[in-house]
Amino acid sequence: MRGAPAEGRESRVPLSKVAFDHPGTRAAWVNARRRVIARLTLWTILWVTSSLAPSLLQEFDVISMSDTGEGVLGLIVSLTFFAYLVILYLDVSALRSIKRIRRILEAAPWHPIPAARKHPLLKDASGVPVQLQLGPAGEADELRGVMSARGSVHRRRWPEAMEQGAWYAGDVEGHGVLALPGGTRLMEVRPRP
């Protein structure tokens, strides 16, 4: 049945005053933050080693480069630096999103919603276009307007299980957090520009 929660998933909303007090939610938030910081650290280490290794190897006469080789080396270092800047921008943006998610979770409780549906026709550059179903199926005001949902780690990855039920914290017309029942797979939700 489409509207029933999947077996094994926690469908009851916790009785805590704010969503961040729920242990599953807190664990999901910590895990998302840890993954972004680990990715940023890994890319920083890779960039530094890829930038310094050829120069050090040439300095200790492990390899020798002609003027052409040094020009190619400079191009490679420049390209890796540009790639690192793009990754740095994306990871800092993800950390800011995680910080906004925490602020919302510390201010609002979880509310169960029957479904959150990905809009089949629209595209969204910063996330996934979604509609929140706040009332039971068949009501006149069943689906809210299209909003943009963005994952904290994977920006545009949509968990299909949210179409069978989800938890929502925050303002329905503005910013909020969407999660699978149990407080996992946190997504920042905001009005579409």
Side-chain angles (χ1 to χ4, degrees):
M1 187 159 85
R2 186 173 176 97
E7 286 186 35
R9 283 195 351 211
E10 182 182 340
S11 60
R12 289 185 303 126
V13 175
L15 299 175
S16 54
K17 291 183 180 182
V18 294
F20 200 70
D21 290 343
H22 182 255
T25 302
R26 187 181 297 258
W29 182 86
V30 167
N31 187 28
R33 184 173 183 269
R34 191 175 293 146
R35 286 178 68 186
V36 172
I37 290 172
R39 186 173 63 196
L40 182 60
T41 303
L42 175 69
W43 280 108
T44 302
I45 291 169
L46 284 173
W47 179 76
V48 168
T49 56
S50 70
S51 297
L52 295 178
S55 299
L56 290 174
L57 291 174
Q58 185 177 1
E59 184 70 29
F60 291 112
D61 292 327
V62 176
I63 60 172
S64 63
M65 293 192 181
S66 62
D67 290 338
T68 308
E70 288 179 4
V72 170
L73 178 64
L75 179 65
I76 291 171
V77 169
S78 298
L79 290 175
T80 57
F81 181 68
F82 178 73
Y84 175 70
L85 287 178
V86 170
I87 290 166
L88 181 67
Y89 171 77
L90 293 174
D91 285 344
V92 167
S93 175
L95 285 173
R96 287 182 180 156
S97 176
I98 290 170
K99 188 175 182 178
R100 287 189 300 266
I101 286 173
R102 182 174 178 155
R103 268 193 241 127
I104 293 168
L105 294 175
E106 287 176 335
W110 284 122
H111 299 286
I113 60 173
R117 291 194 171 79
K118 180 179 177 182
H119 198 283
L121 302 176
L122 296 177
K123 300 289 182 197
D124 194 334
S126 65
V128 179
V130 297
Q131 289 181 296
L132 304 180
Q133 179 182 347
L134 301 177
E139 285 189 2
D141 192 20
E142 178 183 329
L143 295 174
R144 292 289 173 166
V146 180
M147 300 177 84
S148 179
R150 175 183 175 179
S152 53
V153 178
H154 302 286
R155 294 169 60 129
R156 299 187 65 183
R157 191 171 293 172
W158 176 250
E160 295 291 329
M162 283 197 192
E163 301 201 9
Q164 281 90 39
W167 288 359
Y168 186 81
D171 180 14
V172 177
E173 302 299 328
H175 297 299
V177 177
L178 189 61
L180 287 173
T184 59
R185 298 290 301 262
L186 301 172
M187 297 186 84
E188 181 182 12
V189 179
R190 56 174 57 188
R192 288 188 74 208

